[in-house]
Coordinates of all heavy atoms in Angstrom, one line a residue:
M251 N 6.5 -3.9 14.8 CA 6.2 -2.7 14.1 C 6.8 -2.7 12.7 O 7.8 -3.3 12.5 CB 6.8 -1.5 14.9 CG 6.6 -0.2 14.1 SD 6.7 1.3 15.0 CE 5.2 1.3 16.0
Y252 N 6.0 -2.1 11.8 CA 6.4 -2.1 10.4 C 6.5 -0.6 9.9 O 5.9 0.3 10.4 CB 5.4 -2.8 9.5 CG 5.3 -4.3 9.9 CD1 4.3 -4.7 10.7 CD2 6.2 -5.2 9.4 CE1 4.2 -6.1 11.0 CE2 6.1 -6.5 9.7 CZ 5.1 -7.0 10.5 OH 5.0 -8.3 10.8
I253 N 7.2 -0.4 8.7 CA 7.2 0.8 8.0 C 6.8 0.6 6.6 O 7.3 -0.2 5.9 CB 8.7 1.4 8.0 CG1 9.3 1.5 9.4 CG2 8.8 2.7 7.2 CD1 8.7 2.6 10.2
L254 N 5.8 1.4 6.2 CA 5.4 1.4 4.7 C 6.1 2.5 4.1 O 6.1 3.7 4.6 CB 3.9 1.6 4.6 CG 3.3 1.8 3.2 CD1 3.4 0.5 2.5 CD2 1.9 2.2 3.3
E255 N 6.8 2.3 3.0 CA 7.7 3.3 2.3 C 7.3 3.4 0.9 O 7.1 2.4 0.1 CB 9.1 2.8 2.4 CG 10.1 3.8 1.8 CD 11.5 3.3 1.9 OE1 11.8 2.1 2.2 OE2 12.4 4.1 1.6
V256 N 7.2 4.7 0.4 CA 7.1 5.0 -1.0 C 8.4 4.9 -1.7 O 9.4 5.5 -1.2 CB 6.4 6.4 -1.2 CG1 6.3 6.7 -2.7 CG2 5.1 6.5 -0.5
L257 N 8.5 4.2 -2.8 CA 9.7 4.0 -3.5 C 9.8 4.7 -4.9 O 10.9 4.7 -5.5 CB 10.0 2.5 -3.8 CG 10.1 1.6 -2.6 CD1 10.2 0.2 -3.0 CD2 11.3 2.1 -1.7
S258 N 8.7 5.4 -5.3 CA 8.7 6.1 -6.6 C 7.8 7.3 -6.5 O 6.8 7.3 -5.7 CB 8.4 5.2 -7.7 OG 7.0 4.8 -7.7
G259 N 8.0 8.2 -7.4 CA 7.1 9.4 -7.5 C 7.4 10.5 -6.6 O 8.4 10.6 -6.0
P260 N 6.5 11.5 -6.6 CA 6.8 12.7 -5.8 C 6.9 12.5 -4.3 O 7.4 13.3 -3.6 CB 5.6 13.7 -6.2 CG 4.6 12.8 -6.9 CD 5.2 11.6 -7.3
L261 N 6.3 11.4 -3.8 CA 6.4 11.2 -2.4 C 7.6 10.2 -2.1 O 7.6 9.6 -1.0 CB 5.1 10.6 -1.8 CG 3.9 11.6 -1.8 CD1 2.7 10.9 -1.3 CD2 4.3 12.8 -1.0
D262 N 8.5 10.0 -3.0 CA 9.6 9.0 -2.9 C 10.3 9.3 -1.5 O 10.6 10.4 -1.2 CB 10.6 9.2 -4.0 CG 11.7 8.2 -4.0 OD1 11.5 7.1 -3.3 OD2 12.7 8.4 -4.7
G263 N 10.4 8.2 -0.7 CA 11.0 8.3 0.6 C 10.0 8.5 1.7 O 10.4 8.3 2.9
K264 N 8.8 8.9 1.5 CA 7.8 9.1 2.5 C 7.5 7.7 3.2 O 7.4 6.7 2.6 CB 6.5 9.6 1.9 CG 5.3 9.7 2.8 CD 5.4 10.9 3.7 CE 4.1 11.0 4.5 NZ 4.3 11.6 5.8
T265 N 7.3 7.8 4.5 CA 7.1 6.5 5.3 C 5.9 6.7 6.3 O 5.7 7.9 6.7 CB 8.3 6.1 6.1 OG1 8.7 7.1 7.0 CG2 9.5 5.8 5.1
W266 N 5.3 5.6 6.6 CA 4.3 5.6 7.7 C 4.6 4.4 8.5 O 4.8 3.3 8.0 CB 2.9 5.4 7.1 CG 2.4 6.5 6.2 CD1 1.7 7.6 6.6 CD2 2.6 6.7 4.8 NE1 1.5 8.4 5.6 CE2 2.0 7.9 4.4 CE3 3.2 5.9 3.8 CZ2 2.0 8.3 3.1 CZ3 3.2 6.3 2.5 CH2 2.6 7.5 2.2
A267 N 4.5 4.5 9.8 CA 4.8 3.4 10.7 C 3.4 2.8 11.1 O 2.4 3.5 11.2 CB 5.5 3.9 12.0
F268 N 3.4 1.5 11.3 CA 2.1 0.8 11.8 C 2.5 -0.4 12.5 O 3.5 -1.0 12.3 CB 1.2 0.6 10.6 CG 1.6 -0.5 9.6 CD1 1.1 -1.8 9.7 CD2 2.5 -0.1 8.6 CE1 1.5 -2.7 8.7 CE2 2.9 -1.1 7.7 CZ 2.4 -2.4 7.7
D269 N 1.6 -0.8 13.4 CA 1.8 -2.0 14.2 C 1.1 -3.2 13.6 O 1.8 -4.2 13.3 CB 1.2 -1.9 15.6 CG 2.0 -0.9 16.5 OD1 3.3 -1.0 16.4 OD2 1.5 -0.1 17.2
R270 N -0.2 -3.2 13.4 CA -1.0 -4.4 13.0 C -1.5 -4.3 11.6 O -1.5 -5.2 10.8 CB -2.1 -4.5 14.0 CG -2.9 -5.8 13.8 CD -2.8 -6.7 15.0 NE -3.7 -7.8 14.8 CZ -3.4 -8.9 14.2 NH1 -2.2 -9.0 13.8 NH2 -4.3 -9.8 14.0
E271 N -2.0 -3.1 11.2 CA -2.5 -2.9 9.8 C -2.4 -1.5 9.4 O -2.4 -0.6 10.2 CB -3.9 -3.5 9.7 CG -4.9 -2.7 10.4 CD -6.3 -3.3 10.3 OE1 -6.5 -4.5 10.3 OE2 -7.3 -2.5 10.1
I272 N -2.4 -1.2 8.1 CA -2.5 0.1 7.5 C -3.3 0.1 6.3 O -3.2 -0.8 5.4 CB -1.1 0.7 7.3 CG1 -1.2 2.2 7.0 CG2 -0.3 0.0 6.3 CD1 0.1 3.0 7.2
T273 N -4.2 1.1 6.1 CA -4.9 1.3 4.9 C -4.3 2.3 4.0 O -3.8 3.4 4.5 CB -6.4 1.7 5.2 OG1 -7.0 0.7 6.0 CG2 -7.2 1.8 3.9
I274 N -4.2 2.1 2.7 CA -3.5 3.0 1.8 C -4.6 3.6 0.9 O -5.5 2.8 0.4 CB -2.5 2.2 0.9 CG1 -1.5 1.5 1.8 CG2 -1.9 3.2 -0.1 CD1 -0.8 0.4 1.0
G275 N -4.6 4.9 0.8 CA -5.7 5.5 0.0 C -5.4 7.0 -0.3 O -4.3 7.5 0.1
R276 N -6.3 7.7 -0.8 CA -6.2 9.1 -1.2 C -6.9 10.0 -0.2 O -6.8 11.2 -0.2 CB -6.8 9.3 -2.6 CG -6.1 10.4 -3.4 CD -6.4 10.4 -4.8 NE -7.6 9.7 -5.3 CZ -8.8 10.2 -5.5 NH1 -9.0 11.4 -5.4 NH2 -9.8 9.4 -5.9
D277 N -7.8 9.4 0.7 CA -8.6 10.2 1.6 C -8.0 10.0 3.0 O -8.1 8.9 3.6 CB -10.0 9.7 1.5 CG -11.0 10.5 2.4 OD1 -10.6 11.1 3.4 OD2 -12.2 10.5 2.1
D278 N -7.5 11.1 3.6 CA -6.9 11.0 4.9 C -7.8 10.6 6.0 O -7.4 10.2 7.1 CB -6.0 12.2 5.2 CG -6.9 13.5 5.4 OD1 -8.1 13.4 5.1 OD2 -6.3 14.5 5.7
A279 N -9.1 10.7 5.8 CA -10.1 10.3 6.8 C -10.3 8.8 6.8 O -10.8 8.2 7.8 CB -11.5 11.0 6.6
L280 N -9.9 8.1 5.7 CA -10.1 6.7 5.5 C -8.8 5.9 5.5 O -8.8 4.7 5.6 CB -10.9 6.4 4.2 CG -12.3 7.0 4.1 CD1 -12.8 6.8 2.7 CD2 -13.2 6.5 5.1
A281 N -7.7 6.6 5.3 CA -6.4 5.9 5.1 C -5.3 6.4 6.0 O -5.2 7.6 6.2 CB -6.0 6.1 3.6
G282 N -4.6 5.4 6.6 CA -3.5 5.8 7.5 C -2.3 6.2 6.6 O -1.5 7.0 7.1
A283 N -2.2 5.7 5.4 CA -1.2 6.1 4.5 C -1.9 6.9 3.3 O -2.4 6.2 2.4 CB -0.4 4.9 4.0
C284 N -1.9 8.2 3.4 CA -2.6 9.0 2.5 C -1.7 9.5 1.4 O -0.7 10.1 1.6 CB -3.3 10.2 3.2 SG -4.3 11.2 2.1
I285 N -2.0 9.1 0.1 CA -1.2 9.4 -1.0 C -2.1 10.2 -2.0 O -2.7 9.7 -2.9 CB -0.6 8.2 -1.7 CG1 0.2 7.3 -0.7 CG2 0.3 8.5 -2.9 CD1 0.7 6.0 -1.2
T286 N -2.2 11.5 -1.7 CA -3.1 12.4 -2.5 C -2.6 12.7 -3.9 O -3.3 13.1 -4.8 CB -3.4 13.7 -1.8 OG1 -2.1 14.3 -1.5 CG2 -4.1 13.4 -0.4
L287 N -1.3 12.6 -4.1 CA -0.7 13.0 -5.4 C -0.8 12.0 -6.5 O -0.5 12.4 -7.7 CB 0.8 13.4 -5.2 CG 1.1 14.5 -4.2 CD1 2.5 14.7 -4.0 CD2 0.4 15.8 -4.8
D288 N -1.3 10.8 -6.2 CA -1.5 9.8 -7.3 C -3.0 9.7 -7.5 O -3.7 9.1 -6.8 CB -0.9 8.4 -6.8 CG -1.0 7.4 -7.9 OD1 -1.8 7.5 -8.8 OD2 -0.3 6.3 -7.7
R289 N -3.4 10.3 -8.7 CA -4.8 10.3 -9.0 C -5.4 8.9 -9.3 O -6.6 8.7 -9.5 CB -5.1 11.3 -10.1 CG -4.5 10.9 -11.4 CD -4.7 12.0 -12.4 NE -4.0 11.6 -13.6 CZ -4.4 11.9 -14.8 NH1 -5.5 12.6 -15.0 NH2 -3.7 11.5 -15.9
Y290 N -4.5 7.9 -9.5 CA -5.0 6.6 -9.8 C -5.2 5.7 -8.5 O -5.6 4.6 -8.6 CB -3.9 5.9 -10.7 CG -3.8 6.5 -12.0 CD1 -2.9 7.5 -12.3 CD2 -4.7 6.2 -13.0 CE1 -2.8 8.1 -13.5 CE2 -4.7 6.8 -14.3 CZ -3.7 7.8 -14.5 OH -3.6 8.4 -15.7
I291 N -5.0 6.3 -7.4 CA -5.3 5.7 -6.1 C -6.7 6.0 -5.7 O -7.1 7.2 -5.7 CB -4.3 6.1 -5.0 CG1 -2.9 5.5 -5.4 CG2 -4.7 5.6 -3.6 CD1 -1.8 5.8 -4.4
S292 N -7.5 5.0 -5.2 CA -8.8 5.3 -4.8 C -8.8 5.8 -3.3 O -7.8 5.8 -2.7 CB -9.6 3.9 -4.7 OG -9.7 3.4 -6.0
R293 N -10.0 6.4 -2.9 CA -10.0 6.9 -1.6 C -9.6 5.9 -0.5 O -9.0 6.3 0.5 CB -11.5 7.4 -1.3 CG -11.9 8.6 -2.2 CD -13.3 9.0 -2.0 NE -13.5 9.4 -0.6 CZ -14.6 9.0 0.1 NH1 -15.6 8.4 -0.5 NH2 -14.8 9.4 1.3
R294 N -10.0 4.7 -0.7 CA -9.6 3.6 0.2 C -9.2 2.4 -0.7 O -10.1 1.7 -1.2 CB -10.8 3.2 1.1 CG -10.6 2.3 2.2 CD -11.8 2.2 3.1 NE -11.5 1.2 4.1 CZ -11.9 -0.1 3.9 NH1 -12.6 -0.4 2.8 NH2 -11.6 -1.0 4.8
H295 N -7.9 2.3 -1.0 CA -7.4 1.5 -2.1 C -7.0 0.1 -1.7 O -7.4 -0.9 -2.3 CB -6.3 2.3 -2.8 CG -5.9 1.7 -4.1 ND1 -6.2 2.4 -5.3 CD2 -5.3 0.6 -4.5 CE1 -5.7 1.7 -6.3 NE2 -5.2 0.6 -5.8
A296 N -6.1 0.0 -0.7 CA -5.5 -1.3 -0.4 C -5.2 -1.3 1.1 O -5.2 -0.3 1.8 CB -4.3 -1.6 -1.2
Q297 N -4.9 -2.5 1.6 CA -4.6 -2.7 3.0 C -3.5 -3.7 3.2 O -3.4 -4.7 2.5 CB -5.8 -3.1 3.8 CG -5.7 -3.1 5.3 CD -7.0 -3.3 6.0 OE1 -7.6 -4.3 5.7 NE2 -7.4 -2.4 6.8
V298 N -2.6 -3.4 4.2 CA -1.5 -4.4 4.6 C -1.8 -4.7 6.0 O -2.0 -3.8 6.8 CB -0.1 -3.8 4.4 CG1 0.9 -4.8 4.9 CG2 0.1 -3.4 2.9
C299 N -1.8 -6.0 6.3 CA -2.1 -6.5 7.7 C -1.0 -7.5 8.1 O -0.5 -8.3 7.3 CB -3.4 -7.2 7.8 SG -4.8 -6.2 7.3
D300 N -0.7 -7.5 9.4 CA 0.1 -8.5 10.0 C -0.9 -9.6 10.4 O -1.7 -9.5 11.2 CB 0.8 -8.0 11.3 CG 1.7 -9.0 12.0 OD1 1.6 -10.2 11.6 OD2 2.4 -8.6 12.9
A301 N -0.7 -10.8 9.7 CA -1.6 -11.9 9.9 C -0.9 -13.0 10.7 O -0.6 -14.1 10.2 CB -2.2 -12.4 8.6
G302 N -0.6 -12.7 11.9 CA 0.0 -13.7 12.8 C 1.5 -14.1 12.4 O 1.8 -15.2 12.2
G303 N 2.3 -13.1 12.2 CA 3.7 -13.3 11.8 C 4.0 -13.1 10.3 O 5.1 -12.9 10.0
G304 N 3.0 -13.1 9.5 CA 3.2 -12.8 8.1 C 2.4 -11.6 7.6 O 1.4 -11.3 8.2
L305 N 2.8 -11.0 6.5 CA 2.1 -9.9 6.0 C 1.1 -10.3 4.9 O 1.4 -11.1 4.1 CB 3.0 -8.8 5.5 CG 3.9 -8.1 6.5 CD1 5.0 -7.3 5.8 CD2 3.1 -7.2 7.4
V306 N 0.0 -9.6 4.9 CA -1.0 -9.9 3.8 C -1.4 -8.6 3.2 O -1.7 -7.6 3.9 CB -2.3 -10.6 4.5 CG1 -3.4 -10.7 3.4 CG2 -1.9 -11.9 5.1
L307 N -1.4 -8.6 1.9 CA -1.8 -7.4 1.1 C -3.2 -7.7 0.5 O -3.4 -8.8 -0.1 CB -0.8 -7.2 0.0 CG -1.1 -6.1 -1.1 CD1 -1.2 -4.7 -0.5 CD2 0.0 -6.2 -2.2
A308 N -4.1 -6.7 0.6 CA -5.4 -6.9 0.0 C -5.8 -5.6 -0.8 O -5.6 -4.5 -0.3 CB -6.4 -7.2 1.1
D309 N -6.4 -5.8 -1.9 CA -7.0 -4.7 -2.7 C -8.4 -4.5 -2.1 O -9.1 -5.4 -1.9 CB -7.0 -5.0 -4.2 CG -7.5 -3.8 -4.9 OD1 -6.8 -2.9 -5.2 OD2 -8.7 -3.8 -5.3
L310 N -8.8 -3.2 -1.9 CA -10.1 -2.9 -1.3 C -11.1 -2.5 -2.3 O -11.8 -1.5 -2.2 CB -10.0 -1.9 -0.2 CG -9.0 -2.3 0.9 CD1 -8.8 -1.1 1.9 CD2 -9.5 -3.5 1.7
A311 N -11.3 -3.3 -3.4 CA -12.2 -3.0 -4.5 C -11.9 -1.7 -5.1 O -12.8 -0.9 -5.5 CB -13.6 -3.1 -4.1
S312 N -10.6 -1.4 -5.3 CA -10.2 -0.1 -5.9 C -10.5 -0.1 -7.4 O -10.6 -1.1 -8.0 CB -8.7 0.1 -5.7 OG -7.9 -0.8 -6.4
R313 N -10.5 1.1 -7.9 CA -10.8 1.3 -9.3 C -9.7 0.8 -10.2 O -9.9 0.2 -11.3 CB -11.1 2.7 -9.6 CG -11.5 3.0 -11.0 CD -12.0 4.4 -11.2 NE -12.5 4.6 -12.5 CZ -13.1 5.7 -12.9 NH1 -13.3 6.7 -12.1 NH2 -13.6 5.7 -14.1
N314 N -8.4 1.1 -9.9 CA -7.3 0.8 -10.7 C -6.4 -0.4 -10.2 O -5.4 -0.7 -10.8 CB -6.4 2.0 -10.9 CG -7.1 3.1 -11.7 OD1 -7.5 2.9 -12.8 ND2 -7.3 4.3 -11.0
G315 N -6.8 -1.0 -9.2 CA -6.2 -2.2 -8.7 C -4.9 -2.1 -8.0 O -4.3 -1.0 -7.9
T316 N -4.4 -3.2 -7.5 CA -3.1 -3.3 -6.8 C -2.4 -4.4 -7.4 O -2.9 -5.5 -7.8 CB -3.4 -3.6 -5.3 OG1 -4.2 -2.6 -4.7 CG2 -2.1 -3.8 -4.5
R317 N -1.1 -4.2 -7.7 CA -0.3 -5.2 -8.4 C 1.0 -5.7 -7.5 O 1.6 -4.8 -6.9 CB 0.2 -4.7 -9.7 CG -1.0 -4.4 -10.7 CD -0.5 -4.0 -12.1 NE 0.4 -2.9 -12.1 CZ 0.2 -1.6 -12.0 NH1 -1.0 -1.2 -11.8 NH2 1.1 -0.7 -12.2
K318 N 1.3 -6.9 -7.6 CA 2.5 -7.5 -7.0 C 3.1 -8.3 -8.1 O 2.5 -9.1 -8.7 CB 2.1 -8.3 -5.8 CG 3.3 -9.0 -5.1 CD 2.8 -9.9 -4.0 CE 3.3 -11.3 -4.3 NZ 3.1 -12.3 -3.3
G319 N 4.4 -8.1 -8.3 CA 5.1 -8.9 -9.3 C 4.6 -8.6 -10.7 O 4.7 -9.5 -11.5
G320 N 4.0 -7.4 -10.9 CA 3.5 -7.1 -12.2 C 2.1 -7.6 -12.5 O 1.5 -7.3 -13.5
E321 N 1.6 -8.4 -11.6 CA 0.2 -9.0 -11.8 C -0.8 -8.5 -10.8 O -0.4 -8.2 -9.6 CB 0.3 -10.6 -11.5 CG 1.2 -11.3 -12.5 CD 0.7 -11.2 -13.9 OE1 -0.5 -11.3 -14.1 OE2 1.5 -11.1 -14.8
P322 N -2.0 -8.2 -11.3 CA -3.0 -7.7 -10.3 C -3.4 -8.8 -9.3 O -3.4 -9.9 -9.6 CB -4.2 -7.4 -11.2 CG -3.9 -7.9 -12.6 CD -2.5 -8.4 -12.6
I323 N -3.6 -8.3 -8.1 CA -4.0 -9.2 -7.0 C -5.5 -9.2 -7.0 O -6.2 -8.1 -7.1 CB -3.4 -8.9 -5.6 CG1 -3.8 -7.6 -5.1 CG2 -1.9 -9.0 -5.7 CD1 -3.5 -7.4 -3.6
T324 N -6.2 -10.3 -6.8 CA -7.6 -10.4 -6.7 C -8.1 -10.9 -5.4 O -9.3 -10.9 -5.1 CB -8.1 -11.3 -7.9 OG1 -7.5 -12.6 -7.7 CG2 -7.8 -10.7 -9.2
A325 N -7.2 -11.4 -4.6 CA -7.6 -11.9 -3.2 C -6.4 -11.5 -2.3 O -5.4 -11.0 -2.7 CB -7.7 -13.4 -3.3
Q326 N -6.6 -11.7 -1.0 CA -5.6 -11.4 -0.1 C -4.3 -12.2 -0.5 O -4.4 -13.4 -0.8 CB -6.0 -11.8 1.3 CG -7.0 -10.9 1.9 CD -7.3 -11.3 3.4 OE1 -6.9 -12.3 3.9 NE2 -7.9 -10.3 4.1
T327 N -3.2 -11.5 -0.5 CA -1.9 -12.1 -1.0 C -0.8 -11.9 0.0 O -0.6 -10.8 0.5 CB -1.5 -11.4 -2.3 OG1 -2.6 -11.5 -3.3 CG2 -0.3 -12.0 -2.9
A328 N -0.1 -13.0 0.3 CA 1.0 -12.9 1.2 C 2.2 -12.1 0.6 O 2.4 -12.2 -0.6 CB 1.5 -14.3 1.6
I329 N 2.8 -11.2 1.4 CA 4.0 -10.5 1.0 C 5.0 -10.7 2.1 O 4.6 -10.9 3.3 CB 3.7 -9.0 0.7 CG1 3.1 -8.3 1.9 CG2 2.9 -8.9 -0.5 CD1 3.1 -6.8 1.7
V330 N 6.3 -10.5 1.8 CA 7.3 -10.6 2.8 C 7.9 -9.1 2.9 O 7.9 -8.4 2.0 CB 8.4 -11.6 2.4 CG1 7.9 -13.0 2.4 CG2 9.1 -11.2 1.1
P331 N 8.5 -8.8 4.1 CA 9.1 -7.5 4.2 C 10.1 -7.3 3.1 O 10.9 -8.1 2.8 CB 9.8 -7.6 5.6 CG 8.9 -8.6 6.4 CD 8.5 -9.6 5.3
G332 N 10.1 -6.1 2.5 CA 10.9 -5.7 1.4 C 10.4 -5.9 0.0 O 10.9 -5.4 -0.9
E333 N 9.3 -6.8 0.0 CA 8.7 -7.1 -1.3 C 8.0 -5.8 -1.9 O 7.2 -5.2 -1.1 CB 7.8 -8.2 -1.2 CG 7.2 -8.8 -2.5 CD 6.5 -10.1 -2.4 OE1 6.2 -10.5 -1.2 OE2 6.2 -10.7 -3.4
R334 N 8.1 -5.5 -3.1 CA 7.5 -4.3 -3.7 C 6.1 -4.7 -4.3 O 5.9 -5.7 -4.8 CB 8.4 -3.8 -4.8 CG 9.7 -3.4 -4.3 CD 10.7 -3.1 -5.4 NE 12.0 -2.6 -4.8 CZ 12.8 -1.7 -5.4 NH1 12.5 -1.2 -6.6 NH2 13.9 -1.3 -4.8
F335 N 5.3 -3.6 -4.2 CA 3.9 -3.7 -4.8 C 3.5 -2.4 -5.3 O 4.1 -1.4 -4.9 CB 2.9 -4.4 -3.9 CG 2.7 -3.6 -2.6 CD1 1.7 -2.7 -2.4 CD2 3.6 -3.9 -1.5 CE1 1.5 -2.0 -1.2 CE2 3.4 -3.2 -0.3 CZ 2.4 -2.3 -0.2
I336 N 2.5 -2.3 -6.2 CA 2.1 -1.1 -6.8 C 0.6 -0.8 -6.5 O -0.2 -1.7 -6.7 CB 2.3 -1.1 -8.3 CG1 3.8 -1.2 -8.6 CG2 1.7 0.2 -8.9 CD1 4.1 -1.4 -10.1
V337 N 0.4 0.4 -6.0 CA -1.0 0.9 -5.7 C -1.2 2.1 -6.6 O -0.4 3.0 -6.5 CB -1.1 1.2 -4.2 CG1 -2.4 1.9 -3.9 CG2 -1.0 0.0 -3.3
G338 N -2.2 2.0 -7.4 CA -2.3 3.1 -8.4 C -1.1 3.1 -9.3 O -0.8 2.1 -10.0
R339 N -0.3 4.1 -9.3 CA 1.0 4.2 -10.0 C 2.1 4.4 -9.0 O 3.2 4.8 -9.5 CB 0.9 5.3 -11.0 CG 0.0 5.0 -12.2 CD 0.2 5.9 -13.3 NE -0.6 5.5 -14.5 CZ -0.8 6.2 -15.5 NH1 -0.2 7.4 -15.6 NH2 -1.5 5.8 -16.5
T340 N 1.9 4.1 -7.8 CA 2.9 4.3 -6.7 C 3.5 3.0 -6.3 O 2.8 2.1 -5.9 CB 2.3 5.1 -5.5 OG1 1.8 6.3 -6.0 CG2 3.3 5.3 -4.5
L341 N 4.9 2.9 -6.3 CA 5.6 1.7 -5.9 C 5.9 1.8 -4.4 O 6.4 2.8 -3.9 CB 6.9 1.6 -6.7 CG 7.8 0.4 -6.4 CD1 7.1 -0.9 -6.8 CD2 9.1 0.6 -7.1
L342 N 5.5 0.8 -3.7 CA 5.6 0.7 -2.2 C 6.3 -0.5 -1.8 O 6.4 -1.5 -2.5 CB 4.2 0.8 -1.6 CG 3.3 2.0 -1.9 CD1 1.9 1.6 -1.6 CD2 3.8 3.2 -1.1
R343 N 6.8 -0.5 -0.5 CA 7.2 -1.7 0.2 C 7.0 -1.6 1.7 O 6.9 -0.5 2.2 CB 8.7 -2.0 -0.1 CG 9.6 -1.1 0.6 CD 11.1 -1.5 0.4 NE 12.0 -0.5 0.8 CZ 13.3 -0.5 0.7 NH1 13.8 -1.5 0.0 NH2 14.0 0.5 1.2
V344 N 6.9 -2.7 2.3 CA 6.8 -2.7 3.8 C 8.1 -3.3 4.4 O 8.5 -4.4 3.9 CB 5.6 -3.5 4.3 CG1 5.5 -3.6 5.8 CG2 4.3 -2.9 3.7
M345 N 8.7 -2.7 5.4 CA 9.9 -3.2 6.0 C 9.6 -3.3 7.5 O 8.7 -2.6 8.1 CB 11.0 -2.2 5.8 CG 11.4 -1.9 4.4 SD 12.0 -3.3 3.5 CE 13.6 -3.5 4.3
R346 N 10.3 -4.2 8.2 CA 10.2 -4.2 9.7 C 10.9 -3.0 10.2 O 12.0 -2.6 9.7 CB 10.9 -5.5 10.2 CG 10.1 -6.7 9.9 CD 10.6 -7.9 10.7 NE 9.9 -9.1 10.3 CZ 8.7 -9.5 10.7 NH1 8.1 -8.7 11.6 NH2 8.1 -10.6 10.3
A347 N 10.4 -2.4 11.3 CA 11.0 -1.3 11.9 C 12.2 -1.7 12.7 O 12.3 -2.8 13.2 CB 10.0 -0.5 12.8

């Protein structure tokens, strides 16, 4: 089990638990992690998946992109628990529960 945590902005400290995958977005009908206060986040923006022991971050063709290490990601990208990434203007990380 994992925890997705917001590290900046008005939702600082907000968390969502997930087992295998979680979609991040602005539309609660499409996203398990709904961040409505960041207008730079698309309705269905990004996804984090457990890919057989490792985590994978993917941008879902969002308008403003997803960044890791300051660089936009263009394909599925491996991340490790605790590594920070930005969706819209919101800083996030995934931790093991």
